[in-house]
Amino acid sequence: MDLEITFNYIYPTIDCIKKTKNSKNSVYYNMKNFCDWLLKYAYAKERPAIDVDLPNGEKADIEWKDSKYDPNENLYYFRLKRLRSNNIPARTYINVDSTTITLKKNEYLGEFNLIIFDPEKKRLIVQRNSFGLSLGQIAKALTKMRISRYKDIKKKYNKKDPGTVNLNLLLDKDKVKNVKNNKIFRSYELRLADIRAIDLKKLDNNGILHKTVEMVDQVQGVSVSVKVSLARESKEKSLENNTIKKLIDFVQKINNRKKANLLLKARKSVNDQIDEIDVLVPKLMSTINLKGTNRSTIGAEYVYHNFIDQNYERSNCYNGSYSMREIAAISGI
């Protein structure tokens, strides 16, 4: 079975606190020098310590040997890793008792995120991994690693305000517009922060929104969080299309993620992949499919080259005749 991997597209910045209270100075983070620094130590015997503490005694670190530069594409790539030491699985066999895995004090399970930097387009591409690092943890790791480089090359920096790495997700403005043309809606998750701000008179009496808000109001509730899905129903089945489209219109009119939000899972047809869409923050994303990934750790180069072939340089992979490299270059935050 193929393994599906998802990528987010990002505009990286360094955010520094100005002298003016509560305001920030945000500038583009050109990671070229940082990536060249990684290449310098990729196969060195001694390397700077750049591990970052995470909750529950875990850490974020870099897989040094996977730091590469691709001159043909003018792209850098490297892998960050989550050093996992909690909820360890067992080694097991068919019809045989399992064997417990016990990690040594300095031993962890590694969960990887491939990071690709495009210096020409000023874009960062991040592999999502539900077992790996979150975007917030990646930003935290890159912040500390940036300072580690300064210390290593003895570059002066403002210790009181060194700046933090911010990963600004690129948005896909056409995604919500296109999702209304989908024929199959598999699930939605609706959140309303305060129903008291909603005028029931403006809602369809027989509509799902009116009934939801009315029900919460009857029990003197304030906020709403509703998740509806088709679970394991056959993939051609869909939630009622018109209702979903009304929910989209409703949330877009409010246009405030703190007050209302709608997450959708939908596909154009039975044979298409499922899209995950945040109606107010539709992230620019792409996916690749990897073959032969069973029973071994997936290499960084294998993921990278499949990403280039299937997404970044391939036309028609998304949105007509454009490659993801072209789309990312013109997408904003």
Side-chain angles (χ1 to χ4, degrees), residues 69-279:
Y69 172 66
D70 181 352
N72 294 324
E73 301 292 344
N74 188 25
L75 295 174
Y76 292 89
Y77 66 94
F78 56 94
R79 281 211 294 187
L80 297 183
K81 57 187 176 183
R82 173 189 167 205
L83 304 183
R84 187 158 69 88
S85 57
N86 291 293
N87 194 23
I88 305 302
R91 182 180 286 108
T92 192
Y93 312 87
I94 297 174
N95 296 324
V96 179
D97 290 339
S98 301
T99 303
T100 300
I101 296 175
T102 303
L103 299 176
K104 297 176 184 178
K105 189 175 181 180
N106 64 338
E107 192 174 27
Y108 301 84
L109 295 182
E111 304 284 0
F112 298 97
N113 300 79
L114 183 70
I115 314 291
I116 303 166
F117 175 59
D118 187 336
E120 180 186 344
K121 305 298 183 185
K122 299 182 178 181
R123 297 296 184 254
L124 197 68
I125 302 98
V126 175
Q127 173 199 343
R128 301 308 304 268
N129 180 353
S130 57
F131 298 105
L133 299 169
S134 67
L135 283 179
Q137 289 170 335
I138 290 172
K140 181 180 178 181
L142 291 176
T143 296
K144 183 173 179 181
M145 292 172 184
R146 173 175 170 263
I147 301 304
S148 295
R149 171 179 168 263
Y150 284 169
K151 291 178 179 179
D152 180 62
I153 65 175
K154 296 179 172 54
K155 180 177 179 178
K156 292 182 179 181
Y157 64 96
N158 185 345
K159 293 182 180 180
K160 292 183 179 180
D161 185 15
T164 58
V165 175
N166 192 19
L167 304 180
N168 303 278
L169 288 162
L170 298 182
L171 302 183
D172 184 350
K173 299 296 184 182
D174 292 327
K175 204 166 193 177
V176 177
K177 193 186 302 179
N178 294 335
V179 77
K180 287 188 176 183
N181 297 323
N182 286 3
K183 296 180 179 178
I184 300 173
F185 293 93
R186 296 295 296 180
S187 72
Y188 75 83
E189 185 173 352
L190 174 68
R191 295 177 185 172
L192 302 175
D194 190 345
I195 64 166
R196 293 170 298 187
I198 299 172
D199 186 355
L200 280 174
K201 295 178 182 178
K202 294 183 179 180
L203 299 179
D204 180 0
N205 288 341
N206 297 316
I208 191 170
L209 272 170
H210 190 285
K211 292 177 180 178
T212 300
V213 172
E214 194 173 46
M215 180 183 67
V216 175
D217 186 51
Q218 285 175 358
V219 295
Q220 298 182 353
V222 174
S223 63
V224 174
S225 180
V226 179
K227 188 171 184 178
V228 179
S229 77
L230 287 169
R232 298 182 181 274
E233 289 291 308
S234 55
K235 64 180 185 178
E236 74 274 5
K237 290 195 174 182
S238 172
L239 299 172
E240 207 282 315
N241 283 26
N242 288 332
T243 299
I244 300 297
K245 290 172 184 178
K246 286 179 181 178
L247 287 175
I248 293 173
D249 292 338
F250 170 76
V251 171
Q252 284 184 317
K253 282 181 182 178
I254 294 177
N255 197 27
N256 186 326
R257 206 164 183 263
K258 292 181 179 179
K259 293 182 178 179
N261 196 33
L262 180 64
L263 305 177
L264 297 171
K265 288 187 178 181
R267 55 159 59 101
K268 291 179 182 177
S269 67
V270 174
N271 297 320
D272 290 309
Q273 293 179 342
I274 286 183
D275 278 333
E276 296 185 19
I277 301 150
D278 184 327
V279 168

Side-chain angles (χ1 to χ4, degrees), residues 10-28:
I10 285 162
Y11 180 74
T13 59
I14 299 296
D15 290 0
C16 296
I17 302 171
K18 284 184 175 181
K19 292 180 180 179
T20 308
K21 197 174 181 180
N22 297 327
S23 67
K24 289 187 176 180
N25 178 23
S26 182
V27 295
Y28 165 65

Side-chain angles (χ1 to χ4, degrees), residues 296-310:
S296 64
T297 304
I298 305 170
E301 285 195 30
Y302 184 56
V303 178
Y304 169 76
H305 287 296
N306 272 276
F307 170 75
I308 295 300
D309 293 341
Q310 294 184 39

